[in-house]
Amino acid sequence: MEKNNNPIFVTQPALPPLEEFTGYLEQIWDSKILTNNGPFHQQFEQALADYLGVKHISLFANGTLALMTALQALRITGEVITTPFSFAATTHSLWWNKIQPVFVDIEPETFTLDPEKAEAAITPQTTAIMPVHVYGNPCKLERLQEIADIYGLKLIYDSAHTFGVKVKDKSLVSFGDLSILSFHATKVFNTIEGGAIICPDKKTKKRIDYLKNFGFAGETTVIEPGINAKMNEIQAAYGLLQLKYVDEYIARRKTVADTYRKQLEGIPGIHFLDDIQEVHHNYAYFPILVNASEYGKSRDELYEELKRNNIYGRRYFYPLISQFPTYRGLSSAKPSNLPVAEKIAAEVICLPIYPELALTTINKIMNCIKSYD
Ligand code: T4K
């Protein structure tokens, strides 16, 4: 629970009970195995696969290295179609692999990549599509797969926000050729820093595991230039413990989201997303859109007003990645090519949401939004 004058951030990591963690640390201290596929790494990988209902998963030091390695694993080159409405890491992972990002607009309902516009952007150089289930909202899965199949493209989902999300009881990370999770401190499920690649078969997992360990396929055999992207034993042990609590974290986030929705209902100019049928959400973020002419104040005015009250919402994802200096010269980055993304980026504020967010704090945030004139 927040103390009265403490700043209220967009998120606050959920930590497992410290006294439970010390037992895990003692085992690590005894074994002196700190990293390189140790016992906790192996246990955590299996436990995660079971929890997520997937067969093959490879742990990573963070989500960005997982994205970069996923592109290497599938030998992606040329152009990749992606969304500008995401965190920098999505497009940066392409750039680090010398792949040309092609930005395509998003859908107004879910803020995810628009499949029809993605299809229209395919060229002979396109090798893959990299959509993002932004805020944990599922992309149009069937249509994207159909397009990938027709054009012979790989489909790599940036699923950084989707831990625990299910569509018709199927884990969202099981779609596409590869799917990437982030376990950063700010995520629904955290291992402090961390990430994973979910892949469909043993052979691909083996390749991913080589790539994240310098390319080593044995003591003296290096099959190709890999990187060091391994998760260490302390993070893996912490992750194993976190798994015991994550359902509770998600349930508490749902209560926060439900409370916000009830209280925001009917405020002119403030829009929010509802749950989607047949989707089990994780409530990773709570984005609202501020329509300045209906609300009477702009998004930035409300954002500053919240700050004056010690409430630090975030404008995820403003500015669009396509507006970063490295990318804004690309022809696909032109604002006229991305009207929906430009509009959402100009109107969005993510309100604080985390398991320990108290009702009194939600009321304080709501007072600020309701009584701002
Ligand atoms: N793809 C997508 C779609 C992503 O959103 C991300 C990461 C990635 C890929 C890459 O995954 P990783 O390589 O990160 O695993 C944060 C996170 O650093 C980043 O992981 C996340 N997305 C992004 C959306 O948000 P910042 O710069 O906004 O974080 P920061 O440090 O300002 O934290 C936000 C608030 O959270 C702070 O004001 C206070 C609170 N906080 C934060 C940390 C780190 C805490 O209370 N404790 C903490 O330890 O990027």
Side-chain angles (χ1 to χ4, degrees):
M1 189 181 287
E2 288 80 22
K3 300 205 178 73
N4 261 347
N5 288 321
N6 280 356
I8 303 153
F9 295 117
V10 67
T11 192
Q12 184 183 86
L15 286 105
L18 185 58
E19 61 280 10
E20 285 189 40
F21 191 40
T22 51
Y24 290 72
L25 290 177
E26 277 161 14
Q27 289 183 55
I28 294 171
W29 257 242
D30 284 346
S31 74
K32 298 194 171 42
I33 302 293
L34 304 184
T35 186
N36 288 5
N37 199 25
F40 279 119
H41 186 286
Q42 291 175 29
Q43 273 182 65
F44 181 39
E45 228 172 46
Q46 187 56 53
L48 258 182
D50 294 344
Y51 178 88
L52 295 169
V54 297
K55 279 219 176 84
H56 304 286
I57 185 162
S58 293
L59 297 174
F60 274 78
N62 59 58
T64 305
L65 283 166
L67 279 169
M68 286 166 56
T69 307
L71 293 160
Q72 287 278 327
L74 297 184
R75 298 188 171 87
I76 304 297
T77 56
E79 293 177 4
V80 170
I81 290 170
T82 190
T83 166
F85 191 72
S86 183
F87 188 60
T90 310
T91 308
H92 287 354
S93 69
L94 298 171
W95 204 256
W96 276 66
N97 276 293
K98 298 192 167 33
I99 294 162
Q100 176 90 342
V102 175
F103 295 111
V104 160
D105 209 1
I106 56 172
E107 305 216 276
E109 298 84 18
T110 57
F111 314 152
T112 58
L113 191 76
D114 182 326
E116 307 316 317
K117 291 180 184 165
E119 185 175 21
I122 293 170
T123 74
Q125 282 71 49
T126 311
T127 56
I129 308 176
M130 189 192 268
V132 179
H133 303 299
V134 70
Y135 306 138
N137 287 333
C139 296
K140 281 201 173 140
L141 301 162
E142 279 175 25
R143 183 69 184 119
L144 283 167
Q145 190 60 60
E146 190 178 68
I147 294 168
D149 291 345
I150 293 171
Y151 294 89
L153 306 176
K154 297 290 184 196
L155 186 54
I156 303 174
Y157 281 111
D158 181 338
S159 305
H161 302 171
T162 69
F163 194 93
V165 178
K166 289 184 204 140
V167 181
K168 292 184 194 161
D169 286 331
K170 195 172 167 193
S171 179
L172 186 50
V173 294
S174 58
F175 292 86
D177 291 292
L178 296 178
S179 196
I180 284 83
L181 280 165
S182 162
F183 308 141
H184 183 258
T186 55
K187 299 293 190 290
V188 166
F189 175 86
N190 84 79
T191 58
I192 306 171
E193 294 269 2
I197 302 181
I198 291 84
C199 69
D201 56 77
K202 220 174 169 171
K203 198 170 144 205
T204 313
K205 174 168 162 54
K206 211 168 172 184
R207 177 168 163 75
I208 291 167
D209 287 344
Y210 293 154
L211 283 170
K212 76 172 187 192
N213 185 28
F214 313 98
F216 275 106
E219 196 181 325
T220 52
T221 314
V222 175
I223 54 161
E224 62 185 309
I227 199 162
N228 180 0
K230 291 164 278 134
M231 179 181 277
N232 67 52
E233 285 291 281
I234 295 184
Q235 284 170 278
Y238 174 98
L240 206 51
L241 184 52
Q242 285 284 57
L243 266 187
K244 283 170 54 180
Y245 295 96
V246 68
D247 288 340
E248 191 183 320
Y249 299 157
I250 293 173
R252 288 208 240 148
R253 284 173 172 275
K254 176 172 167 42
T255 307
V256 174
D258 288 344
T259 311
Y260 271 137
R261 283 176 183 151
K262 255 185 234 144
Q263 298 208 28
L264 288 166
E265 194 72 64
I267 304 179
I270 302 287
H271 303 278
F272 55 87
L273 301 177
D274 278 319
D275 282 358
I276 302 165
Q277 259 195 348
E278 297 186 307
V279 175
H280 174 81
H281 289 274
N282 66 2
Y283 310 95
Y285 296 86
F286 195 88
I288 59 167
L289 300 182
V290 183
N291 180 308
S293 58
E294 292 170 20
Y295 181 63
K297 301 279 177 192
S298 69
R299 182 277 306 272
D300 288 343
E301 284 171 315
L302 177 58
Y303 171 75
E304 294 299 334
E305 172 69 2
L306 289 165
K307 276 200 339 201
R308 279 191 288 278
N309 285 276
N310 229 0
I311 300 159
Y312 297 87
R314 289 294 286 269
R315 291 166 291 184
Y316 295 134
F317 289 98
Y318 163 84
L320 294 176
I321 302 175
S322 45
Q323 284 307 307
F324 295 171
T326 315
Y327 308 120
R328 67 184 170 214
L330 300 173
S331 60
S332 65
K334 283 199 205 91
S336 57
N337 184 45
L338 307 164
V340 181
E342 290 282 348
K343 180 176 182 297
I344 305 297
E347 293 189 347
V348 72
I349 305 181
C350 288
L351 296 182
I353 187 165
Y354 46 91
E356 290 193 30
L357 188 65
L359 183 59
T360 47
T361 313
I362 299 177
N363 289 339
K364 181 178 166 184
I365 297 165
M366 288 309 308
N367 280 342
C368 222
I369 297 172
K370 282 180 183 163
S371 62
Y372 181 32
D373 60 13

